[in-house]
Amino acid sequence: MGSKKKCSRHKETKIETLLTIENKTYISNYCFSCWVDQEFKKEMKKFEKRLKGSNLMWIRNLFSLDKPNFYEFEELYRGHANSEKKNAKKYKAELRQKYYKKYPPTDLNEILKLNRVEFKNYIEALFQKQGFNVTKSREDENVGINLVIAKKIKSQITRTAVQCKQHKKSVGVSAIQEIFNSQHICKYSKSMIITTSEFTTSAIKKADDLGVELWDKTKLMEEINRTVKTDNSNTLSWDEFLAPHLVEDKFPNKKRTYKKSSSSF
């Protein structure tokens, strides 16, 4: 009886990469597939032909190198892929900031989806809309201050240290004491904490004693609704906003097929 041909071990990696087409940057999803077997060079020739229709020049350029085996090729590929992933992630973060600046979320559930940096930038934009001058520095971050807001009141400039806490857990006493200490270390006029959750009873009492202003989720939403005016009829979802910045690479995703071997008796 004839033996069946064993399938080669299949390797596949999916990444997001940046493409530049006519001086415009796009994000492309790409799937690198190859098979580890003794016929690697033969497979690479087929692979190279398929890559001719691809926008991913950095992958195509790998074929100008001498490739003795799959593992060395994969090592080179992964080095480029990791770099592309970081670039694509950074670019997508920049696009998301543009999106939130143009379409600031006014729903608490949407705000909770923001990461810490996005939430901090969101609060920064909120204060700017309210007429505050907003600054941030590494020195302030080192002592737990995310933002410093300043406004001229009766010929005097008042600077307030702001700490942003984007999570669902209640904020306790330690956070109140931390921002109060940071306020005096940096010699600011006031301090405040903004959270998407609530404050514990002891934290509220401590803040009242120390003069720390508190914005819980209710106060935050009041300020957002007072400051941010949105027209829901013209608001795009994040996916709709991102769509023009995505492009499908021309490299086709093909599967390798094997013919069944016939059995002989």
Side-chain angles (χ1 to χ4, degrees), residues 127 149 160-165 170-180 183 190-223:
F127 279 122
I149 59 174
T160 304
V162 181
Q163 190 176 80
C164 305
K165 291 192 172 294
S170 296
V171 180
V173 173
S174 59
I176 309 297
Q177 189 65 58
E178 180 187 21
I179 193 65
F180 178 77
Q183 170 197 336
K190 298 178 180 180
S191 58
M192 69 184 299
I193 297 178
I194 300 172
T195 181
T196 51
S197 59
E198 297 174 338
F199 296 92
T200 62
T201 303
S202 55
I204 294 172
K205 185 178 183 305
K206 186 73 172 178
D208 188 52
D209 293 339
L210 299 178
V212 177
E213 185 177 353
L214 302 180
W215 284 17
D216 61 6
K217 62 182 179 182
T218 304
K219 173 66 174 175
L220 174 60
M221 295 313 298
E222 287 175 358
E223 291 294 327

Side-chain angles (χ1 to χ4, degrees), residues 33 165 184 191 223 242 254:
S33 300
K165 291 192 172 294
H184 288 277
S191 58
E223 291 294 327
L242 183 62
K254 294 184 178 179

Side-chain angles (χ1 to χ4, degrees), residues 118-179:
E118 290 169 349
F119 180 65
K120 184 174 69 175
N121 291 338
Y122 179 79
I123 297 300
E124 178 183 357
L126 182 68
F127 279 122
Q128 287 173 338
K129 283 182 177 290
Q130 293 182 348
F132 287 91
N133 179 36
V134 185
T135 59
K136 48 189 175 183
S137 67
R138 182 167 293 180
E139 290 76 13
D140 288 331
E141 288 279 1
N142 289 339
V143 291
I145 298 173
N146 299 131
L147 304 170
V148 177
I149 59 174
K151 207 171 193 179
K152 195 173 184 179
I153 303 174
K154 294 181 180 180
S155 72
Q156 288 188 343
I157 297 176
T158 301
R159 290 185 173 83
T160 304
V162 181
Q163 190 176 80
C164 305
K165 291 192 172 294
Q166 191 258 15
H167 48 57
K168 295 181 180 179
K169 292 183 179 179
S170 296
V171 180
V173 173
S174 59
I176 309 297
Q177 189 65 58
E178 180 187 21
I179 193 65

Side-chain angles (χ1 to χ4, degrees), residues 64-81:
S64 64
L65 303 172
D66 184 22
K67 310 171 294 299
N69 60 62
F70 170 81
Y71 298 101
E72 290 191 20
F73 177 84
E74 185 186 40
E75 186 177 348
L76 288 169
Y77 168 80
R78 288 191 182 280
H80 285 280

Side-chain angles (χ1 to χ4, degrees), residues 7-183:
C7 294
S8 304
R9 185 154 57 92
H10 181 252
K11 302 282 283 187
E12 181 177 281
T13 304
K14 294 181 179 179
I15 66 167
E16 280 187 337
T17 182
L18 293 184
L19 300 178
T20 302
I21 303 172
E22 296 180 355
N23 296 323
K24 290 184 180 180
T25 305
Y26 298 90
I27 299 173
S28 175
N29 285 306
Y30 175 74
C31 179
F32 166 69
S33 300
C34 194
W35 294 266
V36 185
D37 58 16
Q38 294 179 349
E39 298 179 345
F40 174 70
K41 290 183 179 180
K42 185 178 177 181
E43 290 293 339
M44 283 295 97
K45 285 182 180 179
K46 294 179 184 177
F47 191 54
E48 186 175 8
K49 287 180 181 179
R50 290 162 62 196
L51 278 172
K52 287 181 180 179
S54 174
N55 293 313
L56 299 175
M57 293 300 298
W58 64 272
I59 294 181
R60 289 170 61 183
N61 289 340
L62 290 180
F63 283 91
S64 64
L65 303 172
D66 184 22
K67 310 171 294 299
N69 60 62
F70 170 81
Y71 298 101
E72 290 191 20
F73 177 84
E74 185 186 40
E75 186 177 348
L76 288 169
Y77 168 80
R78 288 191 182 280
H80 285 280
N82 289 334
S83 176
E84 288 293 329
K85 283 180 182 179
K86 291 178 182 177
N87 292 336
K89 184 178 180 180
K90 183 179 178 182
Y91 182 64
K92 188 178 281 188
E94 291 172 359
L95 289 176
R96 191 176 282 273
Q97 289 307 314
K98 290 180 181 178
Y99 171 74
Y100 287 133
K101 192 171 183 179
K102 190 171 183 179
Y103 306 107
T106 55
D107 181 74
L108 183 60
N109 290 328
E110 289 298 316
I111 293 171
L112 284 170
K113 292 177 183 178
L114 306 179
N115 61 39
R116 290 182 181 180
V117 175
E118 290 169 349
F119 180 65
K120 184 174 69 175
N121 291 338
Y122 179 79
I123 297 300
E124 178 183 357
L126 182 68
F127 279 122
Q128 287 173 338
K129 283 182 177 290
Q130 293 182 348
F132 287 91
N133 179 36
V134 185
T135 59
K136 48 189 175 183
S137 67
R138 182 167 293 180
E139 290 76 13
D140 288 331
E141 288 279 1
N142 289 339
V143 291
I145 298 173
N146 299 131
L147 304 170
V148 177
I149 59 174
K151 207 171 193 179
K152 195 173 184 179
I153 303 174
K154 294 181 180 180
S155 72
Q156 288 188 343
I157 297 176
T158 301
R159 290 185 173 83
T160 304
V162 181
Q163 190 176 80
C164 305
K165 291 192 172 294
Q166 191 258 15
H167 48 57
K168 295 181 180 179
K169 292 183 179 179
S170 296
V171 180
V173 173
S174 59
I176 309 297
Q177 189 65 58
E178 180 187 21
I179 193 65
F180 178 77
N181 293 342
S182 300
Q183 170 197 336

